[in-house]
Amino acid sequence: MFTMFKASAKPGLTMTAATLTFTSFTRLRCALYDFAACRIYYGLFMLALLTCLMSFHSKPVLATDTFITAARVGLADYHTRITLESDQPIQYELSMLNNPGRVVVDLENVTLNQTIKSLPTKVDPADPLIAQIRYGRFKPHILRLVFDLKADAVPRTFLLEPADNHGYRLILDIYQPDKAALAEMETNVKEASPEKNLEDDALGHLVASLLKKKPERQASKDTNRFAPKSYQAAQYHKPTPPRTIIVAIDPGHGGRDPGAVGDNGTREKDITLAISRKLKTIIDKEPFMRAILTRDDDFDLPLKRRQEIARQQNADLFVSIHADGSPRPHAHGSSVYTLSEHGATSTTASWLAQKENNADSNLIGGVDIATKSGDMREIILDLSMSAMISDSVKVAELVLNELGQINRLHKKTVEQAGFVVLKSPDIPSILVETAFITNPSEEKKLKNQDYQKKMAKAIFGGIKNYFATNPALARTEVARAR
């Protein structure tokens, strides 16, 4: 074949054609390479663009969700505290809405789990600020919490780092408007003061106040020569500006427990709630006084829980409202009870014997007695019970005197009994039997709205007279210091 090619080809023409053919082939190959390179570059560009778009649009999916591991709602002095504990810092936004008043917290990238769903059940019916808590998805990556308010309020939030077996915490405090600024001032004071002295200060304050409340004895002529040895005791005797006195009103019975029932079907639980609401209205109108109800509706409420609510609210006085009953229809008159000496002894023993109390039940006057020695616990409880019974009798006598102005008295002196609701070691407590619901004449009066108002005004009159001449126990201030 090579010989045939040589014989048929002319040397000049053959070289020219070959050169042209080679050049064309080379150009074609380069064009193909350029086209392939362009396709590769285009493919890489599109891949990079697609990656960016996917990264942008899938940000909520790729972001690590925050899990709420614990949620708590607690009543404190003048505010309600909501704590959300999480496995990582919570990104959030706080806002308020009006008509009706609501506090809104938007949580970013937080999983809606059972802990969040349990929040509405943690609201205490006696909470004076929060009516209910709602939750829902506001946006795909925003979980919204809504706190419906019962009254005007001011929210405050802050974050806490993990400590003492707790994770990250978002704290929401919802304050009464006139207490928000005071709370900020107290926070600044606490930050500037050594924390190690808080317990000693609280204890000194408590003991000084309880000693002052003990029944008076014959004073010696040299008593005034001795100045108080502690700064806290000295401060207790200084004039202080008026503070808001908190009265816990407990409508007796409720829910499945109707209490005593009159001949005409009048139920004690309905009468006690009606009078309690009227008493609260009167107290709330009084300057520097505020009332809270242990129940504001018809539901079951354990006896011990009633005192717990009063303690959580740092109440200065506990008043349980009842209507008496008797198998004898002619039994009549109003009565006021305080805790008996036997009841006081059993209460002290009970508190000392408890080994697994929660943090709140260990606080007496704001001092954690669980951290004290056995002797110290007994001394604190003894002083506290003595002061509590002494003050209870004083307010009971004044209330009984006022009740005698509008109704006959069942007995002309304060009675004592071991009622469970009266067994608080640091809150003066009384139980008012307004009248006998089983007496047809008094049943008719108790159903009358005007008579209910008279009864509420009489009880308030005794309470007001008591606080006008007797300073409240120092539980609220000491609890605030804690």
Side-chain angles (χ1 to χ4, degrees):
M1 291 185 64
F2 179 76
T3 303
M4 290 175 62
F5 177 76
K6 283 185 69 179
S8 64
K10 296 182 179 180
L13 293 174
T14 301
M15 291 299 294
T16 302
T19 300
L20 291 172
T21 302
F22 179 77
T23 301
S24 299
F25 177 74
T26 301
R27 290 176 176 174
L28 178 60
R29 186 174 61 182
C30 290
L32 290 173
Y33 283 162
D34 290 342
F35 178 72
C38 288
R39 292 188 63 184
I40 292 172
Y41 290 142
Y42 178 75
L44 290 174
F45 171 75
M46 293 301 294
L47 181 62
L49 179 62
L50 182 62
T51 301
C52 291
L53 289 174
M54 288 179 64
S55 175
F56 175 78
H57 286 291
S58 63
K59 184 176 180 180
V61 177
L62 297 177
T64 304
D65 283 347
T66 301
F67 289 90
I68 304 299
T69 57
R72 297 179 287 276
V73 180
L75 300 179
D77 190 16
Y78 305 123
H79 74 279
T80 300
R81 168 163 292 186
I82 298 91
T83 304
L84 299 179
E85 192 170 330
S86 60
D87 59 341
Q88 56 184 316
I90 299 175
Q91 301 296 320
Y92 72 96
E93 184 174 330
L94 175 69
S95 59
M96 290 198 69
L97 299 174
N98 297 320
N99 300 320
R102 288 152 289 166
V103 174
V104 177
V105 180
D106 288 334
L107 308 174
E108 295 185 14
N109 299 320
V110 170
T111 301
L112 177 56
N113 58 11
Q114 194 59 40
T115 304
I116 292 291
K117 292 179 180 179
S118 69
L119 264 176
T121 65
K122 298 179 183 292
V123 178
D124 196 311
D127 193 314
L129 296 173
I130 299 178
Q132 64 175 339
I133 300 176
R134 296 178 286 123
Y135 59 84
R137 280 287 173 198
F138 181 61
K139 293 180 180 179
H141 64 290
I142 297 292
L143 176 62
R144 170 164 286 189
L145 301 181
V146 179
F147 301 84
D148 295 326
L149 301 176
K150 293 180 179 178
D152 292 340
V154 176
R156 293 285 185 268
T157 56
F158 59 93
L159 295 169
L160 293 176
E161 296 289 326
D164 300 329
N165 297 323
H166 292 290
Y168 293 93
R169 282 153 291 165
L170 168 61
I171 308 296
L172 167 63
D173 287 337
I174 300 179
Y175 284 93
Q176 297 176 31
D178 59 332
K179 302 301 177 184
L182 177 63
E184 289 183 357
M185 181 179 68
E186 289 175 347
T187 300
N188 294 335
V189 170
K190 287 180 183 179
E191 291 175 353
S193 303
E195 293 186 4
K196 64 180 181 179
N197 293 327
L198 282 179
E199 178 67 21
D200 294 337
D201 290 350
L203 182 57
H205 194 170
L206 173 66
V207 172
S209 64
L210 292 177
L211 286 172
K212 189 174 188 297
K213 285 285 183 178
K214 289 195 73 175
E216 297 179 0
R217 294 174 180 161
Q218 186 66 34
S220 66
K221 296 180 180 179
D222 298 331
T223 301
N224 294 331
R225 292 190 304 152
F226 299 96
K229 293 184 178 180
S230 70
Y231 172 76
Q232 292 76 27
Q235 289 298 303
Y236 181 80
H237 294 282
K238 286 186 176 181
T240 55
R243 68 167 177 84
T244 300
I245 291 170
I246 302 172
V247 179
I249 306 171
D250 174 46
H253 307 280
R256 291 169 294 181
D257 177 16
V261 180
D263 288 343
N264 294 317
T266 308
R267 300 178 301 183
E268 180 182 359
K269 67 175 183 177
D270 299 325
I271 297 300
T272 60
L273 183 58
I275 294 175
S276 296
R277 285 172 172 168
K278 290 176 175 61
L279 177 58
K280 173 176 167 54
T281 300
I282 296 171
I283 292 176
D284 287 343
K285 291 179 180 179
E286 186 71 15
F288 302 110
M289 291 188 76
R290 180 171 70 88
I292 62 110
L293 294 174
T294 58
R295 69 176 180 93
D296 193 18
D297 208 339
D298 184 18
F299 55 82
D300 294 323
L301 188 62
L303 296 177
K304 289 186 178 180
R305 177 62 185 146
R306 297 167 189 261
Q307 274 286 356
E308 287 175 5
I309 293 172
R311 290 174 58 77
Q312 289 171 352
Q313 290 283 346
N314 290 312
D316 298 291
L317 178 65
F318 180 88
V319 181
S320 190
I321 306 296
H322 287 258
D324 221 335
S326 173
R328 296 177 293 116
H330 59 273
H332 63 273
S334 302
S335 305
V336 182
Y337 287 84
T338 63
L339 185 64
S340 65
E341 286 295 332
H342 173 72
T345 303
S346 64
T347 300
T348 303
S350 174
W351 278 71
L352 288 172
Q354 289 178 13
K355 299 297 183 183
E356 298 180 357
N357 287 340
N358 58 40
D360 181 65
S361 63
N362 275 332
L363 292 176
I364 300 297
V367 176
D368 188 357
I369 64 169
T371 63
K372 304 301 177 186
S373 67
D375 289 343
M376 181 61 76
R377 286 201 299 270
E378 190 170 355
I379 290 171
I380 293 173
L381 280 168
D382 232 8
L383 288 170
S384 187
M385 289 301 299
S386 296
M388 186 278 290
I389 290 178
S390 175
D391 278 16
S392 298
V393 171
K394 288 179 182 178
V395 68
E397 288 175 344
L398 292 169
V399 169
L400 188 66
N401 182 61
E402 294 293 324
L403 290 175
Q405 307 300 314
I406 65 165
N407 193 31
R408 292 175 294 180
L409 297 180
H410 185 61
K411 287 189 178 180
K412 295 183 179 181
T413 59
V414 172
E415 300 183 67
Q416 293 185 314
F419 293 120
V420 173
V421 291
L422 300 180
K423 294 183 178 181
S424 173
D426 57 347
I427 304 176
S429 304
I430 65 172
L431 186 147
V432 179
E433 294 283 8
T434 53
F436 276 81
I437 200 170
T438 50
N439 180 301
S441 175
E442 293 194 344
E443 178 187 9
K444 184 178 180 181
K445 288 182 179 179
L446 288 173
K447 290 171 62 177
N448 184 277
Q449 293 283 333
D450 291 335
Y451 189 76
Q452 291 174 3
K453 289 180 182 178
K454 285 183 179 180
M455 187 64 66
K457 287 180 179 178
I459 296 171
F460 171 70
I463 293 172
K464 186 177 180 180
N465 290 338
Y466 164 74
F467 283 114
T469 54
N470 295 272
L473 281 171
R475 183 177 195 275
T476 303
E477 285 88 350
V478 180
R480 187 183 298 139
R482 286 286 295 154

